[in-house]
Amino acid sequence: MEPQPAWEAAKENIQPLRRGRNIASLTEALQNPEILEEKKREFEEDLRAYDGEDPLHVWDSYLTWLEEHYPSGLHGLHLPQLLENCISTFIPDRKYDNDPRYVRVWLKFAGLQPYPEEVYKCMSARGVGVRSSAFYIEWAEYHELSGESRRAQEILEKGIAMLAEPHDQLKTALKQLILRIAQGSTRNFEAESEDAPQDSRNALSKLRPTGSIEAPNVRVGSNRLALQPGAVQGLASKSGLKNSKMAIYIDENASSGLFSGMGSLAGSSSTAHSIASNKENTKRAEKMARQKIPQRLAASEGPTFDVVQDAESESRNQNKSSTTIVGVLSTRKDSSTHMSLSNVLEGPNINEKRMYDFLKVYGGTCEFQFEEIRFAKYKRKMAASGDATHTTHT
Amino acid sequence: MSGEPTQNEIALQDCPTDGISAVKFSNSSNQYLLASSWDEYVRVYDVQQDRCKHKFDHTSPVLDACFYNTTHIWSGGADKTVRLFDLHSGADLRAGTHDDAVRCVEYIPDVNQIVTGSWDGNIKLWDPRRPVGAVSTHAQDNKVYTLAVCGERLIVGTANRKILIWDLRNMAYVQQKRDSSLKFQTRAIRAFPDLTGYVLSSIEGRVAVEYLDPSPDVQKKKYAFKCHRTKENGIENIYPVNAIAFHSKYGTFATGGSDGFVNIWDGNNKKRLCQFHKFPSSIASLSFSPDGSMLAIASSFQHEYTLDPNVEPPPDQIFIRHVTDQETRPK
């Protein structure tokens, strides 16, 4: 009997990647976890010490490496924070605005947000990715999945008008979208009954083309292009028709999980969602300084003495408490998206300026001291000059 | 209060040629001062004669050093080694190593040991009379960034804003583990001369005064304040606070920031006693002489930010300032 490969034993802990997994790095990650720490430290040093022409390259290879070498997902690594740091690092550098790698980082970040549209709008406003087809396709996909096919179409058309590259990809995407609208097969709020077969595995349905050369082989969710002919599909649509009179409960959380699933890389949709929505609990505290939090009127209004209770007053109290809750929820929505974007775009406070390189200290997945940053640079300089003297001697 | 460099201040000759990591006075003599530097040397100055008496090659950037007695110096380097130098014979000895760069080196008079802390996340204790390998190693969970000796206790500041308080009489477990009360990375910690607490500074213009006694009554007294910030056109510039030094007689302390200023504070009365003039570069390290009559000030760029390659940082300098009672005594 052949020996079992390492990944075979761990496969339920390996999260799929959109572009597939590299078997060599997967085996490496599973067999030598101690090497990983060393390599990670090297990457962290590179992030801070690199002073060549293309600093984004370091970030890009680090993010790719992290995905490949942490097969069970990047839960402990504060991925949204890392992506955000990457975004902030290159925001002043306009030359990266339409670099496909940078756009990918933004799109990954958007995918981890509960309300990715905020991020897409921000990208569009800043001009990040406006010449990249991938941006429009992902944005349109988000709207299509939310049931706004017209809006999706508008976005693709906008991309074509902006001459985004590669042009063909965008044109194909638009053509296919129009086809789907014509067939009425896009997910619509009016046609919720089609939701049932949405996540089931269809044998013969068409696949959506992705940016990469390899098409996905899983025929579910956003990968599936349309409810095209096929034995399984025919059955599903029939049952859909039968059930069309029945109201189907749509779980809001489940649908938002879908959004994050499409853009997220390794994190499962549910964790990605929870990371993003818990962001307010992990973000640095000083960011609160400029935020206005609505006063909770009802919370402090409790009477200090005993009140004779009657049915009417009880119902009034309940009303109050329910409004409080509504207020809290709307604040949370605000802070999880808008706050994080303001983190990205501005400093801690307009009237304050940090007189040290904040992103070098906190840039990666762990913090560095000034001396560590300096020594990382020193090591690289020594290595470079060592090579130079070596070559001059020989 | 402040002003230009004055007669009561001298800049030492023959200064380190690269970043100064620490300046420390001898434990018992006002005459000797050591300076460790990124230029890979540890220098010993005779501050009364204003000259560099000894210069030892550590063969790697030196991140910290300390006097054991008037004739022996211990140093820790980026090359992970802990070394000691004999001022009389000029001999140097490799006492041992850490698994990563050695960030802190301090002498603990109460137990006559040397303590070192490293980015490998450990502290090690060494016997200066038998300098072959460490006596013991104690894990701190995170990279050690700073440490302070407080009588028979050690206060260790690590990455992720953790503060660990160890009792040297029983190193089997950590006595107290706290989160820093400051929101940003811990930069320096120094203990009160009366051993009841410590002062902690962060990279974001803030200093905290804390007490060791965990009882709520004592803990109530702790506080933090903003400092080393300058206002420019309505924008507040926030600098790291790199150095703290206590005056052993009065219990007041000096702080030095990347803004180039040195402030002297009266921690008990929550008052600033004075501010010196602006020094040419970031204040990297501070040390009071044992009798409290002098303050050594290392002015040296900390590489807090990436410098434009065409701009030379200000030269690294060490100033010896004769301080007056008016500047250091609580009012």
Side-chain angles (χ1 to χ4, degrees):
Chain A
M1 206 173 91
E2 268 182 57
Q4 214 181 27
W7 55 268
E8 187 71 38
K11 54 183 176 190
E12 51 291 82
N13 296 325
I14 301 169
Q15 297 226 346
L17 284 184
R18 210 178 200 188
R19 60 164 187 279
R21 277 196 180 275
N22 179 345
I23 199 73
S25 48
L26 186 61
T27 316
E28 191 192 342
L30 291 168
Q31 283 175 341
N32 306 311
E34 66 280 357
I35 295 180
L36 290 188
E37 277 308 305
E38 211 172 288
K39 185 83 183 139
K40 195 171 139 211
R41 164 106 194 166
E42 212 168 282
F43 268 116
E44 291 278 336
E45 284 183 6
D46 271 335
L47 284 190
R48 279 126 175 145
Y50 184 84
D51 64 345
E53 292 291 299
D54 185 17
L56 180 60
H57 172 72
V58 183
W59 279 92
D60 185 54
S61 43
Y62 186 33
L63 287 166
T64 313
W65 181 87
L66 279 176
E67 274 175 26
E68 283 181 352
H69 290 81
Y70 286 82
S72 48
L74 303 167
H75 312 308
L77 296 171
H78 313 294
L79 185 63
Q81 189 61 55
L82 192 67
L83 294 170
E84 200 178 307
N85 286 340
C86 178
I87 288 170
S88 326
T89 307
F90 297 104
I91 264 197
D93 204 342
R94 312 273 347 175
K95 81 171 175 193
Y96 286 115
D97 277 1
N98 283 291
D99 188 307
R101 296 166 301 172
Y102 191 45
V103 175
R104 206 156 56 220
V105 171
W106 271 91
L107 293 177
K108 269 180 201 170
F109 179 71
L112 293 172
Q113 301 298 316
Y115 307 95
E117 201 187 353
E118 297 277 324
V119 183
Y120 297 136
K121 278 183 180 159
C122 170
M123 286 173 77
S124 162
R126 293 193 65 83
V128 175
V130 290
R131 301 195 164 276
S132 149
S133 297
F135 167 54
Y136 295 101
I137 292 173
E138 204 139 310
W139 192 358
E141 209 169 81
Y142 161 73
H143 280 296
E144 194 185 340
L145 285 170
S146 335
E148 302 159 303
S149 342
R150 294 287 161 203
R151 180 96 182 94
Q153 191 181 339
E154 272 168 41
I155 281 157
L156 289 176
E157 276 160 1
K158 187 174 156 196
I160 289 169
M162 293 289 289
L163 301 174
E165 292 288 332
H167 205 57
D168 293 349
Q169 240 177 50
L170 211 50
K171 275 198 160 151
T172 323
L174 180 64
K175 215 157 75 190
Q176 286 166 341
L177 175 72
I178 291 171
L179 199 69
R180 267 168 297 172
I181 294 171
Q183 290 171 332
S185 58
T186 51
R187 190 173 169 272
N188 256 312
F189 284 135
E190 294 81 28
E192 292 294 7
S193 55
E194 283 180 2
D195 202 46
Q198 182 76 25
D199 281 315
S200 61
R201 213 169 253 264
N202 282 7
L204 294 167
S205 61
K206 274 193 185 165
L207 283 170
R208 170 187 299 282
T210 60
S212 63
I213 304 147
E214 286 179 9
N217 52 12
V218 186
R219 285 154 212 268
V220 289
S222 62
N223 286 329
R224 206 189 41 189
L225 182 57
L227 304 172
Q228 281 288 310
V232 188
Q233 201 277 322
L235 263 175
S237 68
K238 257 182 218 162
S239 68
L241 271 174
K242 265 183 213 162
N243 293 340
S244 60
K245 287 278 183 278
M246 197 201 284
I248 295 172
Y249 170 70
I250 306 287
D251 187 0
E252 266 180 55
N253 292 332
S255 66
S256 77
L258 249 177
F259 309 151
S260 49
M262 67 178 201
S264 80
L265 42 156
S268 78
S269 56
S270 65
T271 36
H273 176 70
S274 70
I275 288 170
S277 56
N278 282 335
K279 200 170 157 54
E280 71 209 276
N281 298 327
T282 55
K283 73 174 166 22
R284 294 179 294 277
E286 93 289 350
K287 299 294 188 283
M288 296 297 283
R290 269 174 57 239
Q291 293 302 317
K292 280 185 186 156
I293 293 173
Q295 304 255 315
R296 291 185 208 177
L297 289 170
S300 57
E301 257 186 31
T304 49
F305 49 89
D306 286 336
V307 184
V308 183
Q309 295 270 325
D310 62 19
E312 206 183 37
S313 80
E314 189 139 70
S315 71
R316 214 176 56 204
N317 274 343
Q318 271 171 2
N319 272 343
K320 263 186 200 162
S321 62
S322 69
T323 51
T324 316
I325 287 163
V326 168
V328 169
L329 283 178
S330 61
T331 324
R332 193 205 67 148
K333 174 195 163 190
D334 229 33
S335 58
S336 58
T337 54
H338 167 244
M339 289 271 292
S340 71
L341 286 172
S342 73
N343 281 2
V344 170
L345 303 176
E346 292 154 28
N349 188 328
I350 289 173
N351 299 323
E352 287 180 354
K353 191 178 164 207
R354 296 190 171 106
M355 301 307 282
Y356 61 91
D357 201 333
F358 184 83
L359 284 166
K360 286 243 155 73
V361 173
Y362 290 103
T365 55
C366 60
E367 66 181 64
F368 266 52
Q369 195 176 26
F370 301 141
E371 284 78 8
E372 285 179 281
I373 301 165
R374 185 173 182 184
F375 184 55
K377 287 181 183 165
Y378 178 92
K379 264 198 289 196
R380 276 151 187 78
K381 215 165 91 187
M382 289 311 257
S385 70
D387 287 349
T389 51
H390 190 72
T391 45
T392 49
H393 279 300
T394 50
Chain B
M1 259 217 20
S2 64
E4 286 307 300
T6 43
Q7 291 166 343
N8 55 10
E9 193 177 285
I10 55 159
L12 289 180
Q13 304 290 314
D14 194 11
C15 272
T17 55
D18 201 349
I20 302 165
S21 49
V23 285
K24 279 176 200 167
F25 267 101
S26 158
N27 312 318
S28 52
S29 153
N30 293 324
Q31 198 175 357
Y32 297 110
L33 176 84
L34 70 74
S36 60
S37 161
W38 282 79
D39 70 2
E40 310 189 349
Y41 286 95
V42 181
R43 290 173 175 77
V44 178
Y45 295 92
D46 181 331
V47 295
Q48 276 153 20
Q49 292 177 15
D50 183 16
R51 71 191 183 93
C52 176
K53 284 200 71 165
H54 305 274
K55 192 174 159 185
F56 292 102
D57 190 355
H58 192 108
T59 65
S60 171
V62 195
L63 301 182
D64 202 3
C66 75
F67 275 100
Y68 160 51
N69 51 30
T70 45
T71 54
H72 290 87
I73 283 174
W74 286 64
S75 70
D79 61 352
K80 310 174 188 178
T81 64
V82 178
R83 295 177 189 227
L84 70 125
F85 303 111
D86 186 321
L87 300 187
H88 278 327
S89 67
D92 69 300
L93 185 83
R94 206 172 113 143
T97 58
H98 271 273
D99 292 334
D100 205 333
V102 183
R103 179 66 185 88
C104 322
V105 183
E106 295 289 342
Y107 173 57
I108 317 168
D110 286 34
V111 294
N112 194 32
Q113 280 184 330
I114 302 285
V115 57
T116 57
S118 157
W119 293 335
D120 68 5
N122 290 314
I123 59 167
K124 287 189 181 194
L125 295 169
W126 312 76
D127 182 352
R129 290 157 303 183
R130 233 181 124 263
V132 278
V135 180
S136 58
T137 304
H138 309 277
Q140 311 292 308
D141 301 341
N142 282 302
K143 296 178 274 195
V144 177
Y145 283 168
T146 178
L147 68 81
V149 175
C150 182
E152 287 176 319
R153 288 200 180 95
L154 281 181
I155 303 155
V156 183
T158 71
N160 295 337
R161 300 170 41 252
K162 298 280 182 241
I163 311 291
L164 292 95
I165 299 165
W166 294 84
D167 190 332
L168 288 157
R169 291 162 298 188
N170 183 2
M171 292 294 282
Y173 62 95
V174 56
Q175 213 183 26
Q176 287 181 51
K177 203 170 174 178
R178 301 180 178 178
D179 276 328
S180 161
S181 46
L182 305 180
K183 283 174 200 139
F184 293 90
Q185 190 177 82
T186 307
R187 192 76 184 121
I189 298 178
R190 285 289 175 265
F192 297 170
D194 69 2
L195 312 181
T196 56
Y198 57 91
V199 170
L200 162 91
S201 71
S202 83
I203 56 170
E204 190 138 319
R206 227 175 249 271
V207 168
V209 176
E210 308 212 346
Y211 296 87
L212 292 174
D213 188 341
S215 70
D217 273 356
V218 177
Q219 288 298 314
K220 241 181 11 208
K221 292 198 293 181
K222 77 173 186 185
Y223 65 95
F225 57 93
K226 291 182 188 175
C227 54
H228 296 282
R229 291 156 183 244
T230 55
K231 264 246 156 78
E232 222 176 84
N233 305 326
I235 292 175
E236 191 171 42
N237 295 329
I238 307 172
Y239 295 88
V241 183
N242 303 311
I244 306 167
F246 267 95
H247 190 284
S248 56
K249 268 202 327 225
Y250 299 140
T252 51
F253 61 93
T255 59
S258 290
D259 54 352
F261 281 105
V262 175
N263 293 318
I264 297 188
W265 309 87
D266 175 2
N268 292 329
N269 296 315
K270 303 187 186 178
K271 285 259 161 56
R272 184 167 79 180
L273 295 173
C274 70
Q275 181 178 60
F276 300 156
H277 64 91
K278 190 175 188 326
F279 288 89
S281 192
S282 307
I283 306 303
S285 183
L286 292 169
S287 175
F288 273 106
S289 60
D291 69 350
S293 66
M294 285 180 281
L295 178 64
I297 300 157
S299 156
S300 173
F301 181 54
Q302 297 273 289
H303 290 251
E304 303 91 329
Y305 50 90
T306 313
L307 209 61
D308 190 317
N310 303 319
V311 178
E312 275 288 307
D316 303 298
Q317 282 183 289
I318 301 170
F319 298 89
I320 303 294
R321 189 184 174 102
H322 290 267
V323 289
T324 59
D325 265 13
Q326 212 197 351
E327 287 166 333
T328 55
R329 188 152 69 183
K331 292 190 174 96

